[in-house]
Each structure stands twice: as structure tokens, then as C-alpha cells.
Amino acid sequence: MSLTAATQPRVAPGFRLQWEPVQNCHVLLYPEGMVKLNDSAGEILKRCDGARSIDDITADIEQTHALHDLSADVIAFVELAGKQRWLTWD
């Protein structure tokens, strides 16, 4: 299904997002290993709960961090995470 601003992404089955204090970052765990995420990826992925749209995720990040015009960046990351099979959506 194509990605739009109304898409509600969620972490895909088989992956688990968590904060890793030793790494001081969010990580995405899966049976074969772990992906260490940068701050931006962690901020996006922790909001991908299947209930919030990309618009909602973007607005929350912009408000929380006093940033603007992040829509294209969030969509680009969600597309990439989908290709990596980290995220899924209906």
C-alpha cells in the first residue's frame, strides 16, 4: 500500500524498539541482532504505534523539539524503514 500523510505506521512483527542505556540510544531488536538508531530515527520510531498517522507523528516531533517543516524527512524515513521491514502499515 502506498504511503501518505494519513498512513499509520507501526513497528513490524519480529522487531522490538527499546531505549538502551548502555548505548545511550534507541535500538531496534530482532532475533538475528540489533540496529542502533540515531536520535532522529528513535524519535520517529517510538511514535510509530499503529494509531498515529505520519501527520500526527510529524506534528508531535515538531512541537516537542520546536522544529518546523519535518514532513518530508519523516515520510522519507518511514519509507526507508518500510523497505528495511522495520515498519509496516495497512
Side-chain angles (χ1 to χ4, degrees):
M1 183 173 183
S2 67
L3 190 64
T4 70
T7 298
Q8 296 172 308
R10 63 186 170 280
V11 175
F15 291 92
R16 183 168 48 105
L17 179 68
Q18 74 179 38
W19 175 257
E20 187 60 51
V22 174
Q23 302 279 345
N24 194 34
C25 66
H26 282 93
V27 296
L28 196 57
L29 301 173
Y30 58 102
E32 298 84 26
M34 173 182 82
V35 177
K36 185 177 176 181
L37 303 169
N38 66 27
D39 291 340
S40 298
E43 287 295 317
I44 295 168
L45 281 178
K46 73 182 186 182
R47 291 168 170 85
C48 291
D49 56 11
R52 291 186 255 197
S53 69
I54 291 176
D55 271 351
D56 295 337
I57 293 165
T58 302
D60 189 42
I61 293 170
E62 288 175 347
Q63 181 178 4
T64 301
H65 297 285
L67 299 169
H68 304 288
D69 301 322
L70 295 180
S71 183
D73 294 326
V74 172
I75 288 174
F77 176 77
V78 170
E79 286 178 339
L80 173 67
K83 288 178 184 173
Q84 295 294 325
R85 299 192 179 151
W86 300 344
L87 291 175
T88 188
W89 52 86
D90 299 326

Coordinates of all heavy atoms in Angstrom, one line a residue:
M1 N 0.8 -1.2 0.0 CA 0.0 0.0 0.0 C 0.9 1.2 0.0 O 1.9 1.3 0.7 CB -0.9 0.0 1.2 CG -1.9 1.1 1.3 SD -3.0 0.8 2.7 CE -4.1 2.2 2.4
S2 N 0.5 2.3 -0.7 CA 1.3 3.5 -0.8 C 1.3 4.3 0.5 O 0.3 4.2 1.2 CB 0.9 4.3 -2.0 OG -0.4 4.8 -1.8
L3 N 2.3 5.0 0.7 CA 2.5 5.8 1.9 C 1.9 7.2 1.7 O 2.2 7.8 0.7 CB 4.0 5.9 2.2 CG 4.4 6.5 3.5 CD1 4.0 5.6 4.7 CD2 5.9 6.6 3.5
T4 N 1.1 7.7 2.6 CA 0.5 9.0 2.6 C 0.7 9.6 4.0 O 1.1 9.0 4.9 CB -1.0 9.0 2.2 OG1 -1.7 8.5 3.3 CG2 -1.2 8.2 0.9
A5 N 0.3 10.9 4.1 CA 0.4 11.6 5.4 C -0.6 11.0 6.4 O -0.4 11.1 7.6 CB 0.1 13.1 5.2
A6 N -1.6 10.3 5.9 CA -2.6 9.6 6.8 C -2.2 8.2 7.2 O -2.8 7.6 8.1 CB -3.9 9.6 6.2
T7 N -1.1 7.7 6.6 CA -0.7 6.3 6.9 C -0.3 6.2 8.4 O 0.3 7.1 9.0 CB 0.6 6.0 6.1 OG1 0.2 6.0 4.7 CG2 1.1 4.6 6.4
Q8 N -0.7 5.1 9.0 CA -0.4 4.8 10.5 C 0.6 3.7 10.6 O 0.3 2.6 10.7 CB -1.7 4.5 11.2 CG -2.7 5.7 11.2 CD -4.0 5.3 11.7 OE1 -4.6 4.3 11.3 NE2 -4.5 6.0 12.6
P9 N 1.9 4.1 10.6 CA 3.0 3.0 10.6 C 3.1 2.4 12.1 O 2.8 3.1 13.0 CB 4.2 3.7 10.2 CG 4.0 5.2 10.6 CD 2.5 5.4 10.4
R10 N 3.5 1.2 12.1 CA 3.8 0.5 13.4 C 5.1 -0.3 13.2 O 5.4 -0.8 12.1 CB 2.6 -0.3 13.9 CG 2.3 -1.4 13.0 CD 1.0 -2.1 13.4 NE 0.5 -3.1 12.4 CZ -0.1 -2.8 11.3 NH1 -0.4 -1.5 11.0 NH2 -0.5 -3.7 10.4
V11 N 5.7 -0.6 14.3 CA 6.9 -1.4 14.3 C 6.5 -2.8 13.9 O 5.4 -3.4 14.4 CB 7.6 -1.5 15.7 CG1 8.7 -2.5 15.7 CG2 8.1 -0.1 16.1
A12 N 7.2 -3.4 12.9 CA 6.8 -4.7 12.3 C 6.9 -5.8 13.3 O 7.8 -5.8 14.2 CB 7.6 -4.9 11.1
P13 N 6.1 -6.9 13.1 CA 6.3 -8.1 13.9 C 7.7 -8.6 13.8 O 8.3 -8.6 12.7 CB 5.3 -9.1 13.3 CG 4.3 -8.2 12.6 CD 5.0 -7.0 12.1
G14 N 8.2 -9.1 14.9 CA 9.6 -9.6 14.9 C 10.6 -8.6 15.4 O 11.8 -8.9 15.6
F15 N 10.2 -7.3 15.5 CA 11.1 -6.2 15.9 C 10.6 -5.6 17.2 O 9.4 -5.6 17.4 CB 11.2 -5.1 14.9 CG 11.9 -5.5 13.6 CD1 11.2 -6.0 12.5 CD2 13.2 -5.4 13.5 CE1 11.8 -6.4 11.4 CE2 13.9 -5.8 12.3 CZ 13.2 -6.3 11.3
R16 N 11.5 -5.2 18.0 CA 11.1 -4.5 19.3 C 12.0 -3.3 19.5 O 13.2 -3.4 19.4 CB 11.2 -5.5 20.5 CG 10.8 -4.8 21.8 CD 10.7 -5.9 22.9 NE 11.9 -6.7 23.0 CZ 12.8 -6.6 23.9 NH1 12.7 -5.7 24.9 NH2 13.8 -7.4 23.9
L17 N 11.3 -2.2 19.7 CA 12.0 -0.9 19.9 C 12.2 -0.7 21.4 O 11.3 -0.9 22.2 CB 11.2 0.3 19.3 CG 11.8 1.7 19.5 CD1 13.1 1.8 18.7 CD2 10.8 2.7 19.1
Q18 N 13.4 -0.3 21.8 CA 13.6 0.0 23.2 C 14.8 0.9 23.4 O 15.6 1.0 22.5 CB 13.8 -1.3 24.0 CG 15.2 -1.9 23.9 CD 15.4 -3.2 24.7 OE1 14.5 -4.0 24.9 NE2 16.6 -3.4 25.3
W19 N 14.8 1.6 24.5 CA 15.9 2.5 24.9 C 16.9 1.6 25.5 O 16.7 0.8 26.4 CB 15.4 3.6 25.9 CG 16.5 4.4 26.4 CD1 17.2 4.3 27.6 CD2 17.2 5.5 25.7 NE1 18.2 5.2 27.7 CE2 18.2 5.9 26.5 CE3 17.0 6.0 24.4 CZ2 19.1 7.0 26.1 CZ3 17.9 7.0 24.0 CH2 18.9 7.5 24.8
E20 N 18.2 1.8 25.1 CA 19.3 1.0 25.6 C 20.2 2.0 26.3 O 21.0 2.7 25.7 CB 20.0 0.3 24.4 CG 21.1 -0.6 24.8 CD 20.5 -1.8 25.7 OE1 19.6 -2.4 25.3 OE2 21.1 -2.0 26.8
P21 N 20.2 2.0 27.7 CA 21.0 2.9 28.4 C 22.5 2.8 28.1 O 23.2 3.8 28.1 CB 20.7 2.6 29.9 CG 19.4 1.8 29.9 CD 19.3 1.1 28.5
V22 N 23.0 1.5 28.0 CA 24.4 1.3 27.7 C 24.8 2.0 26.4 O 25.9 2.6 26.3 CB 24.7 -0.2 27.7 CG1 26.2 -0.5 27.3 CG2 24.4 -0.8 29.1
Q23 N 24.0 1.9 25.4 CA 24.3 2.5 24.1 C 23.9 4.0 24.1 O 24.3 4.7 23.2 CB 23.5 1.8 23.0 CG 23.7 0.3 22.9 CD 25.0 0.0 22.1 OE1 25.5 0.9 21.4 NE2 25.4 -1.2 22.2
N24 N 23.1 4.4 25.1 CA 22.6 5.8 25.2 C 21.8 6.2 23.9 O 21.9 7.3 23.4 CB 23.7 6.8 25.4 CG 23.1 8.1 25.9 OD1 22.1 8.2 26.5 ND2 23.8 9.2 25.5
C25 N 20.9 5.2 23.4 CA 20.1 5.5 22.3 C 19.0 4.4 22.2 O 19.0 3.4 22.9 CB 21.0 5.4 21.0 SG 21.6 3.8 20.6
H26 N 18.1 4.7 21.3 CA 17.1 3.7 21.0 C 17.7 2.6 20.1 O 18.6 2.9 19.2 CB 15.9 4.3 20.3 CG 15.0 5.0 21.2 ND1 15.1 6.3 21.4 CD2 13.9 4.5 21.9 CE1 14.1 6.7 22.3 NE2 13.4 5.6 22.6
V27 N 17.3 1.4 20.3 CA 17.7 0.3 19.4 C 16.5 -0.5 18.9 O 15.4 -0.5 19.6 CB 18.7 -0.7 20.1 CG1 20.0 0.0 20.5 CG2 18.0 -1.3 21.3
L28 N 16.6 -1.1 17.8 CA 15.6 -2.0 17.3 C 16.1 -3.4 17.3 O 17.1 -3.7 16.7 CB 15.3 -1.5 15.8 CG 14.0 -2.0 15.2 CD1 12.8 -1.6 16.0 CD2 13.9 -1.5 13.8
L29 N 15.5 -4.2 18.2 CA 15.9 -5.6 18.4 C 15.2 -6.5 17.5 O 14.0 -6.3 17.2 CB 15.7 -6.0 19.8 CG 16.4 -5.1 20.9 CD1 16.0 -5.5 22.3 CD2 17.9 -5.2 20.7
Y30 N 15.8 -7.5 17.0 CA 15.2 -8.6 16.2 C 16.0 -9.9 16.5 O 17.1 -9.8 17.0 CB 15.1 -8.2 14.7 CG 16.4 -7.9 14.1 CD1 17.1 -8.9 13.2 CD2 17.1 -6.7 14.2 CE1 18.3 -8.6 12.6 CE2 18.3 -6.4 13.6 CZ 18.9 -7.4 12.8 OH 20.1 -7.1 12.2
P31 N 15.4 -11.0 16.1 CA 16.1 -12.3 16.5 C 17.6 -12.4 16.1 O 18.3 -13.0 16.8 CB 15.2 -13.4 15.8 CG 13.9 -12.8 15.7 CD 14.1 -11.3 15.5
E32 N 17.9 -11.9 15.0 CA 19.3 -12.0 14.5 C 20.2 -10.9 15.0 O 21.4 -11.0 14.7 CB 19.3 -12.0 13.0 CG 18.6 -13.1 12.3 CD 17.1 -12.8 12.2 OE1 16.7 -11.7 12.1 OE2 16.3 -13.8 12.2
G33 N 19.7 -9.9 15.7 CA 20.6 -8.8 16.1 C 19.9 -7.6 16.6 O 18.8 -7.6 17.1
M34 N 20.6 -6.5 16.3 CA 20.1 -5.2 16.8 C 20.6 -4.1 15.9 O 21.7 -4.2 15.3 CB 20.8 -4.9 18.2 CG 20.6 -3.6 18.8 SD 21.5 -3.4 20.4 CE 23.1 -3.0 19.8
V35 N 19.7 -3.1 15.7 CA 20.0 -1.9 14.9 C 20.1 -0.8 15.9 O 19.1 -0.5 16.6 CB 18.9 -1.6 13.9 CG1 19.2 -0.3 13.1 CG2 18.7 -2.8 12.9
K36 N 21.3 -0.1 15.9 CA 21.4 1.1 16.7 C 20.9 2.3 16.0 O 21.3 2.5 14.8 CB 22.9 1.3 17.1 CG 23.2 2.4 18.0 CD 24.7 2.5 18.4 CE 25.0 3.7 19.2 NZ 26.4 3.7 19.5
L37 N 20.0 3.0 16.6 CA 19.3 4.1 15.8 C 19.9 5.5 16.2 O 20.2 5.7 17.4 CB 17.8 4.1 16.2 CG 17.1 2.8 15.8 CD1 15.7 2.8 16.4 CD2 17.0 2.6 14.3
N38 N 20.0 6.4 15.3 CA 20.3 7.7 15.6 C 19.1 8.4 16.3 O 18.0 7.9 16.4 CB 20.9 8.5 14.4 CG 19.8 8.8 13.4 OD1 18.6 8.9 13.6 ND2 20.3 8.9 12.1
D39 N 19.4 9.6 16.9 CA 18.3 10.3 17.6 C 17.1 10.5 16.8 O 15.9 10.3 17.3 CB 18.8 11.6 18.1 CG 19.9 11.5 19.2 OD1 19.9 10.4 19.9 OD2 20.6 12.5 19.5
S40 N 17.2 10.9 15.5 CA 16.0 11.2 14.7 C 15.2 10.0 14.4 O 14.0 10.0 14.5 CB 16.5 11.8 13.3 OG 17.1 13.0 13.5
A41 N 15.9 8.9 14.1 CA 15.2 7.6 13.8 C 14.5 7.1 15.1 O 13.3 6.7 15.0 CB 16.2 6.6 13.4
G42 N 15.1 7.2 16.2 CA 14.5 6.9 17.5 C 13.2 7.7 17.8 O 12.2 7.2 18.2
E43 N 13.3 9.0 17.5 CA 12.2 9.9 17.8 C 11.0 9.5 16.9 O 9.8 9.6 17.3 CB 12.6 11.3 17.6 CG 13.4 11.9 18.7 CD 12.8 12.0 20.0 OE1 11.6 12.4 20.1 OE2 13.4 11.6 21.0
I44 N 11.3 9.1 15.7 CA 10.2 8.8 14.7 C 9.6 7.4 15.1 O 8.4 7.2 15.3 CB 10.7 8.8 13.3 CG1 11.1 10.2 12.9 CG2 9.6 8.2 12.4 CD1 11.8 10.3 11.5
L45 N 10.5 6.4 15.3 CA 10.1 5.0 15.5 C 9.3 4.9 16.8 O 8.3 4.1 16.9 CB 11.2 4.1 15.5 CG 11.7 3.7 14.1 CD1 13.0 2.7 14.3 CD2 10.7 3.0 13.4
K46 N 9.7 5.7 17.9 CA 9.0 5.5 19.1 C 7.5 6.0 19.0 O 6.7 5.7 19.9 CB 9.7 6.1 20.3 CG 9.7 7.6 20.3 CD 10.5 8.1 21.5 CE 10.5 9.6 21.7 NZ 11.3 10.1 22.8
R47 N 7.2 6.8 18.0 CA 5.9 7.3 17.8 C 5.1 6.4 16.8 O 3.9 6.6 16.6 CB 5.9 8.7 17.3 CG 6.4 9.7 18.4 CD 6.7 11.0 17.8 NE 7.0 12.0 18.8 CZ 8.1 12.2 19.4 NH1 9.2 11.5 19.0 NH2 8.3 13.2 20.3
C48 N 5.7 5.4 16.2 CA 5.0 4.5 15.2 C 4.4 3.4 16.0 O 4.9 2.3 16.1 CB 6.1 4.0 14.2 SG 6.7 5.3 13.1
D49 N 3.1 3.7 16.4 CA 2.4 2.7 17.2 C 1.2 2.2 16.5 O 0.4 1.4 17.1 CB 1.9 3.4 18.5 CG 1.1 4.7 18.3 OD1 0.7 4.9 17.2 OD2 0.9 5.4 19.3
G50 N 1.0 2.5 15.3 CA -0.1 2.0 14.5 C -1.4 2.8 14.7 O -2.4 2.6 14.0
A51 N -1.4 3.7 15.7 CA -2.6 4.6 15.9 C -2.4 6.0 15.4 O -3.3 6.6 15.0 CB -2.8 4.6 17.4
R52 N -1.1 6.4 15.4 CA -0.8 7.8 14.9 C -0.5 7.8 13.5 O 0.3 7.0 13.0 CB 0.3 8.4 15.7 CG 0.0 8.7 17.2 CD 1.1 9.4 17.8 NE 1.8 8.4 18.7 CZ 2.6 8.8 19.7 NH1 2.9 10.1 19.9 NH2 3.2 7.9 20.4
S53 N -1.0 8.8 12.8 CA -0.6 9.0 11.3 C 0.7 9.6 11.2 O 1.3 10.2 12.2 CB -1.7 9.9 10.7 OG -1.6 11.2 11.1
I54 N 1.3 9.6 10.0 CA 2.5 10.3 9.8 C 2.4 11.8 10.1 O 3.3 12.4 10.7 CB 3.0 10.1 8.3 CG1 3.4 8.6 8.2 CG2 4.2 11.0 8.0 CD1 3.9 8.2 6.8
D55 N 1.2 12.4 9.8 CA 1.0 13.8 10.1 C 1.1 14.0 11.6 O 1.6 15.0 12.1 CB -0.4 14.3 9.6 CG -0.3 14.8 8.2 OD1 0.8 15.0 7.7 OD2 -1.4 15.1 7.6
D56 N 0.4 13.1 12.4 CA 0.4 13.2 13.9 C 1.9 13.0 14.4 O 2.3 13.8 15.3 CB -0.4 12.1 14.5 CG -1.9 12.2 14.2 OD1 -2.3 13.4 13.8 OD2 -2.6 11.2 14.2
I57 N 2.6 12.1 13.9 CA 4.0 11.9 14.3 C 4.8 13.1 14.0 O 5.6 13.6 14.9 CB 4.6 10.6 13.6 CG1 3.8 9.4 14.1 CG2 6.1 10.5 13.8 CD1 4.1 8.1 13.2
T58 N 4.7 13.6 12.8 CA 5.4 14.8 12.5 C 5.1 16.0 13.4 O 6.0 16.7 13.9 CB 5.2 15.2 11.0 OG1 5.5 14.1 10.2 CG2 6.0 16.4 10.6
A59 N 3.8 16.2 13.6 CA 3.4 17.4 14.4 C 3.9 17.2 15.9 O 4.3 18.2 16.5 CB 1.9 17.5 14.4
D60 N 3.9 16.0 16.4 CA 4.4 15.8 17.7 C 5.9 16.0 17.9 O 6.3 16.7 18.8 CB 4.0 14.3 18.2 CG 4.3 14.1 19.6 OD1 4.0 15.0 20.5 OD2 4.9 13.0 20.0
I61 N 6.6 15.6 16.9 CA 8.1 15.8 16.9 C 8.4 17.3 16.8 O 9.2 17.9 17.5 CB 8.8 15.0 15.8 CG1 8.7 13.5 16.1 CG2 10.3 15.5 15.6 CD1 9.2 12.7 14.9
E62 N 7.7 18.0 15.9 CA 7.9 19.4 15.7 C 7.5 20.2 16.9 O 8.3 21.1 17.3 CB 7.0 19.9 14.5 CG 7.5 19.5 13.2 CD 6.7 19.9 12.0 OE1 5.5 20.3 12.2 OE2 7.2 19.8 10.8
Q63 N 6.4 19.8 17.6 CA 6.1 20.5 18.8 C 7.0 20.2 20.0 O 7.5 21.1 20.7 CB 4.6 20.1 19.2 CG 4.2 20.8 20.5 CD 2.7 20.4 20.9 OE1 2.1 19.6 20.2 NE2 2.2 21.1 21.9
T64 N 7.4 19.0 20.1 CA 8.3 18.5 21.2 C 9.6 19.2 21.1 O 10.2 19.6 22.1 CB 8.4 17.0 21.3 OG1 7.1 16.4 21.4 CG2 9.3 16.5 22.4
H65 N 10.1 19.3 19.9 CA 11.5 19.8 19.7 C 11.6 21.2 19.1 O 12.7 21.6 18.7 CB 12.3 18.8 18.8 CG 12.4 17.5 19.5 ND1 13.3 17.2 20.5 CD2 11.7 16.3 19.3 CE1 13.1 16.0 20.9 NE2 12.2 15.4 20.2
A66 N 10.5 21.9 19.0 CA 10.4 23.3 18.5 C 11.1 23.3 17.1 O 11.9 24.2 16.8 CB 11.1 24.3 19.4
L67 N 10.7 22.4 16.2 CA 11.2 22.4 14.9 C 10.0 22.6 13.9 O 8.9 22.5 14.3 CB 11.8 21.0 14.6 CG 13.0 20.7 15.5 CD1 13.4 19.2 15.3 CD2 14.2 21.6 15.1
H68 N 10.4 22.8 12.6 CA 9.3 23.0 11.6 C 9.7 22.3 10.3 O 10.9 22.0 10.1 CB 9.2 24.5 11.3 CG 8.9 25.3 12.5 ND1 7.7 25.3 13.2 CD2 9.7 26.2 13.3 CE1 7.7 26.1 14.2 NE2 8.9 26.6 14.3
D69 N 8.7 22.1 9.5 CA 8.9 21.6 8.1 C 9.6 20.2 8.1 O 10.5 20.0 7.3 CB 9.7 22.6 7.2 CG 8.9 23.9 7.1 OD1 7.7 23.8 7.0 OD2 9.6 24.9 7.1
L70 N 9.2 19.3 9.0 CA 9.9 18.0 9.0 C 9.1 16.9 8.2 O 9.6 15.8 8.1 CB 10.0 17.5 10.5 CG 10.9 18.3 11.4 CD1 10.9 17.7 12.8 CD2 12.3 18.4 10.9
S71 N 8.0 17.3 7.6 CA 7.1 16.3 7.0 C 7.9 15.4 5.9 O 7.8 14.2 6.0 CB 6.0 17.0 6.3 OG 5.1 16.0 5.7
A72 N 8.6 16.0 5.1 CA 9.4 15.3 4.0 C 10.4 14.4 4.6 O 10.6 13.2 4.2 CB 10.0 16.3 3.0
D73 N 11.1 14.8 5.7 CA 12.1 14.0 6.4 C 11.4 12.7 7.0 O 11.9 11.6 7.0 CB 12.9 14.8 7.4 CG 13.7 15.8 6.8 OD1 14.2 15.6 5.6 OD2 13.9 16.9 7.4
V74 N 10.3 13.0 7.7 CA 9.6 11.9 8.4 C 9.1 10.9 7.3 O 9.3 9.7 7.5 CB 8.4 12.4 9.3 CG1 7.6 11.2 9.8 CG2 9.0 13.2 10.4
I75 N 8.5 11.3 6.3 CA 8.0 10.4 5.2 C 9.2 9.7 4.6 O 9.1 8.4 4.4 CB 7.2 11.2 4.2 CG1 5.8 11.6 4.7 CG2 7.0 10.4 2.9 CD1 5.0 12.5 3.8
A76 N 10.3 10.3 4.4 CA 11.4 9.6 3.8 C 11.9 8.5 4.7 O 12.3 7.4 4.3 CB 12.5 10.6 3.5
F77 N 12.0 8.8 6.0 CA 12.5 7.8 6.9 C 11.5 6.6 7.0 O 11.9 5.5 7.0 CB 12.7 8.4 8.3 CG 13.1 7.3 9.3 CD1 14.4 6.8 9.3 CD2 12.2 6.7 10.2 CE1 14.8 5.8 10.1 CE2 12.5 5.7 11.0 CZ 13.8 5.2 11.0
V78 N 10.2 6.9 7.1 CA 9.2 5.9 7.2 C 9.3 5.0 5.9 O 9.2 3.8 6.0 CB 7.8 6.4 7.4 CG1 6.7 5.3 7.3 CG2 7.7 7.1 8.8
E79 N 9.4 5.6 4.8 CA 9.6 4.8 3.5 C 10.8 3.9 3.6 O 10.8 2.7 3.3 CB 9.7 5.7 2.3 CG 8.4 6.4 1.9 CD 8.6 7.3 0.7 OE1 9.7 7.8 0.5 OE2 7.6 7.6 0.1
L80 N 11.9 4.4 4.1 CA 13.2 3.7 4.2 C 13.0 2.5 5.2 O 13.4 1.4 5.0 CB 14.3 4.6 4.7 CG 15.6 3.8 5.0 CD1 16.2 3.2 3.8 CD2 16.6 4.8 5.7
A81 N 12.4 2.8 6.4 CA 12.1 1.8 7.4 C 11.2 0.7 6.9 O 11.3 -0.4 7.3 CB 11.6 2.5 8.7
G82 N 10.2 1.1 6.1 CA 9.4 0.1 5.4 C 10.1 -0.8 4.5 O 9.9 -2.0 4.5
K83 N 11.0 -0.2 3.7 CA 11.9 -1.1 2.8 C 12.8 -2.0 3.6 O 13.1 -3.1 3.2 CB 12.7 -0.2 1.9 CG 11.9 0.5 0.9 CD 12.7 1.4 0.0 CE 11.8 2.2 -1.0 NZ 12.6 3.2 -1.7
Q84 N 13.2 -1.6 4.8 CA 14.1 -2.4 5.7 C 13.2 -3.4 6.4 O 13.8 -4.2 7.2 CB 14.8 -1.5 6.7 CG 15.8 -0.6 6.0 CD 17.0 -1.3 5.4 OE1 17.4 -2.4 5.9 NE2 17.5 -0.8 4.3
R85 N 11.9 -3.3 6.3 CA 10.9 -4.1 7.0 C 10.9 -3.9 8.5 O 10.5 -4.8 9.3 CB 11.1 -5.6 6.7 CG 11.0 -5.8 5.2 CD 10.9 -7.3 4.9 NE 10.7 -7.4 3.4 CZ 11.1 -8.4 2.7 NH1 11.7 -9.4 3.3 NH2 10.9 -8.4 1.4
W86 N 11.3 -2.7 8.9 CA 11.2 -2.3 10.4 C 9.8 -1.9 10.7 O 9.4 -2.0 11.8 CB 12.2 -1.2 10.7 CG 13.6 -1.5 10.5 CD1 14.2 -2.7 10.3 CD2 14.7 -0.5 10.4 NE1 15.6 -2.5 10.1 CE2 15.9 -1.2 10.1 CE3 14.7 0.9 10.4 CZ2 17.1 -0.6 10.0 CZ3 15.9 1.5 10.3 CH2 17.1 0.8 10.1
L87 N 9.2 -1.2 9.7 CA 7.8 -0.7 9.9 C 6.9 -1.4 8.9 O 7.3 -1.8 7.8 CB 7.8 0.8 9.7 CG 8.5 1.7 10.7 CD1 8.4 3.1 10.2 CD2 7.8 1.5 12.1
T88 N 5.6 -1.4 9.3 CA 4.5 -1.9 8.4 C 3.3 -1.0 8.6 O 3.3 -0.2 9.6 CB 4.2 -3.4 8.8 OG1 3.3 -3.9 7.8 CG2 3.6 -3.5 10.2
W89 N 2.4 -1.0 7.6 CA 1.2 -0.3 7.7 C 0.2 -0.9 6.8 O 0.6 -1.8 5.9 CB 1.4 1.2 7.3 CG 2.1 1.4 6.0 CD1 1.6 1.5 4.8 CD2 3.5 1.6 5.8 NE1 2.5 1.7 3.8 CE2 3.7 1.8 4.4 CE3 4.6 1.6 6.7 CZ2 5.0 1.9 3.9 CZ3 5.9 1.8 6.1 CH2 6.1 2.0 4.8
D90 N -1.1 -0.6 7.0 CA -2.1 -1.3 6.2 C -2.3 -0.5 4.8 O -2.1 0.6 4.7 CB -3.4 -1.3 6.9 CG -3.3 -2.1 8.2 OD1 -2.6 -3.1 8.2 OD2 -3.9 -1.7 9.2

